[in-house]
Amino acid sequence: MNKIGYYKILERAPEEVQGKSTVFLARKEGNPPEKGDFLVYPSGKKVQLKGSVNRDDSGSMEVSLKGGAVPLIQKNAVLVPFYYGARSGKKALVVWKGNPPDSRTLNLCLRDMPEIVFDQKIVSNRPERVSRISSLQPFLQIPGQIYQVRGDSYHRECVLLMTEPFTDKEMKDITRRVNKFGKFPGPAGIYSMNLRVRGYAQVPPEIGAENFQGARVLGDWYVMSRILDKWQDTIVKRSRHEAGIPDDDLFSLIDAPEELVLKLVEELTFRGEVYKSKGFILNRSEQQEQFLAPMTKAFLKELTELSTNGLNLKEHPPTGRPDLPDILEKRGLARRVESILYSIQAYNELVDDLKNHIPRDRSFDLGDLAGKTELSRSRLIGLLDAMEADGMLASSGRNRRILV
């Protein structure tokens, strides 16, 4: 593998150059991408690089970063492109070059990234070709990269096979594949073995797709076709439940890294099979009623019969099922306007009627609609607010709005 390019943080930039992103001064090593997702070491968190600008001839740069982990970035932190499968963890699987070391406590460093210092020593669990190494503190793990270890009287090299977490079964499987491989595996072989063992792998762009037959691409991830089909079927089927899939349940439903699961949902959303609403994932359908439970269907029928009068939820909350209004809203079958719940047909009817009275060539306020609708003042204000939230109106200042 070519030497990995990365950024090393020198310090936070002066306040005056900061905007929506947080700007740091950094030094570029090698040729890292100018934008994209990066792993921050040693925090182990992910940030997004929005852009970088050369500052002067000294080699320092201004890098603009976004993400919840940005406040944790300290001087001398390292930003490694996320697509290498880089992780920060306490355990990893390695394959040794030559004879494995006898010593159990070793000093560890990355051969091609000598500036990255691991303060903690690592322990090798057994003197075998494929071994598990561990440390009390997380260390930077990059599949396919060569690591050097040193003892009192020797120097050894190993290549990182698999980052944590991994199971005993995965360890046995990748050990069998390495031993069957015979010669020392290169980066493409290591990423390919990760793909076959786990069913997915994050792969850098310089490794060609010809190494991953039988897999499909999701961003910078490769997933075995049979596993991807299974995941997609699971999400689509579960999304047919009337309440959909809560975001919090998604990562227990699919046994894969969070980034890959989110990429999968993004793909299904792009294809029009699911959509997100109010923290839930639901299947897309022209006939949403068919996915409702009998009690929910009965509630929708009552709501529809109320027409444009709607249901005052403060005065008449659903008995025993306070979640029914949310279910109907998420599935696009109802619209809540403050405390009033309307069927979607009634809401659209009210909106269409109100649009007939709204000036189309200028802004307006409540006074322009006085006496032109049967809605009470409070319901009229609520409906206008809902239309603005839905993108049909825009505020033009001083309590005036304009039709979009």
Side-chain angles (χ1 to χ4, degrees), residues 34-105:
E34 297 179 356
K35 294 181 179 180
D37 292 334
F38 282 73
L39 178 86
V40 181
Y41 179 78
S43 73
K45 304 296 184 180
K46 187 173 74 170
V47 296
Q48 187 177 28
L49 175 62
K50 303 297 290 184
S52 58
V53 178
N54 289 323
R55 194 180 189 203
D56 49 41
D57 295 334
S58 68
S60 65
M61 312 182 71
E62 292 177 359
V63 292
S64 301
L65 303 175
K66 289 189 70 175
V70 167
L72 303 176
I73 296 177
Q74 303 291 329
K75 182 178 179 180
N76 294 325
V78 173
L79 308 181
V80 180
F82 201 68
Y83 54 61
Y84 283 104
R87 297 294 185 270
S88 179
K90 297 181 181 180
K91 297 178 183 178
L93 292 181
V94 300
V95 55
W96 295 100
K97 282 189 170 183
N99 295 325
D102 295 328
S103 175
R104 290 181 172 271
T105 304

Side-chain angles (χ1 to χ4, degrees), residues 139-333:
F139 59 94
L140 180 60
Q141 304 178 7
I142 308 175
Q145 285 297 298
I146 296 176
Y147 289 71
Q148 294 180 332
V149 295
R150 298 177 184 275
D152 294 334
S153 59
Y154 60 82
H155 166 192
R156 296 283 191 279
E157 288 188 345
C158 61
V159 174
L160 197 136
L161 283 175
M162 182 175 281
T163 63
E164 73 166 346
F166 50 83
T167 64
D168 289 341
K169 181 179 181 299
E170 289 170 340
M171 180 176 177
K172 291 178 181 178
D173 194 356
I174 203 165
T175 299
R176 178 180 60 81
R177 290 173 182 270
V178 170
N179 292 334
K180 183 178 179 181
F181 195 80
K183 61 181 181 179
F184 200 77
I190 288 174
Y191 282 103
S192 179
M193 282 189 279
N194 272 269
L195 172 66
R196 309 299 168 183
V197 171
R198 284 179 161 162
Y200 56 84
Q202 205 167 5
V203 180
E206 60 261 33
I207 297 181
E210 65 273 8
N211 297 287
F212 307 103
Q213 294 181 1
R216 302 211 299 270
V217 179
L218 279 178
D220 51 20
W221 295 85
Y222 282 76
V223 185
M224 296 302 294
S225 295
R226 67 183 188 281
I227 292 179
L228 185 59
D229 289 340
K230 179 181 177 181
W231 288 349
Q232 291 174 339
D233 289 345
T234 298
I235 291 178
V236 171
K237 288 178 181 177
R238 284 289 300 273
S239 69
R240 291 172 182 164
H241 183 276
E242 66 170 9
I245 306 172
D247 285 346
D248 293 341
D249 292 354
L250 186 60
F251 306 115
S252 61
L253 188 63
I254 303 296
D255 184 17
E258 181 176 322
E259 298 83 9
L260 177 54
V261 176
L262 294 175
K263 186 65 69 174
L264 174 60
V265 173
E266 181 183 312
E267 172 70 13
L268 290 173
T269 302
F270 176 77
R271 284 163 37 182
E273 295 191 44
V274 301
Y275 66 98
K276 299 193 71 174
S277 177
K278 298 181 179 291
F280 289 76
I281 298 167
L282 302 105
N283 66 306
R284 192 172 294 280
S285 172
E286 297 295 328
Q287 300 293 328
Q288 292 286 353
E289 295 92 335
Q290 65 181 308
F291 304 106
L292 303 180
M295 182 179 289
T296 314
K297 287 182 178 179
F299 179 69
L300 176 60
K301 184 173 183 292
E302 294 174 7
L303 184 65
T304 303
E305 291 172 352
L306 290 171
S307 187
T308 54
N309 291 321
L311 176 66
N312 191 318
L313 295 174
K314 286 185 178 180
E315 297 177 0
H316 305 286
T319 304
R321 287 289 305 274
D323 60 330
L324 293 181
D326 285 337
I327 290 174
L328 295 183
E329 275 206 281
K330 284 184 295 187
R331 290 207 168 269
L333 298 171

Side-chain angles (χ1 to χ4, degrees), residues 337 354 358 364-366 369 379-389 393 401:
V337 178
L354 192 55
I358 292 176
F364 68 94
D365 60 16
L366 281 177
L369 301 177
R379 288 206 178 195
L380 176 59
I381 293 173
L383 185 60
L384 291 172
D385 289 342
M387 291 174 65
E388 186 172 336
L393 300 175
R401 311 183 205 229

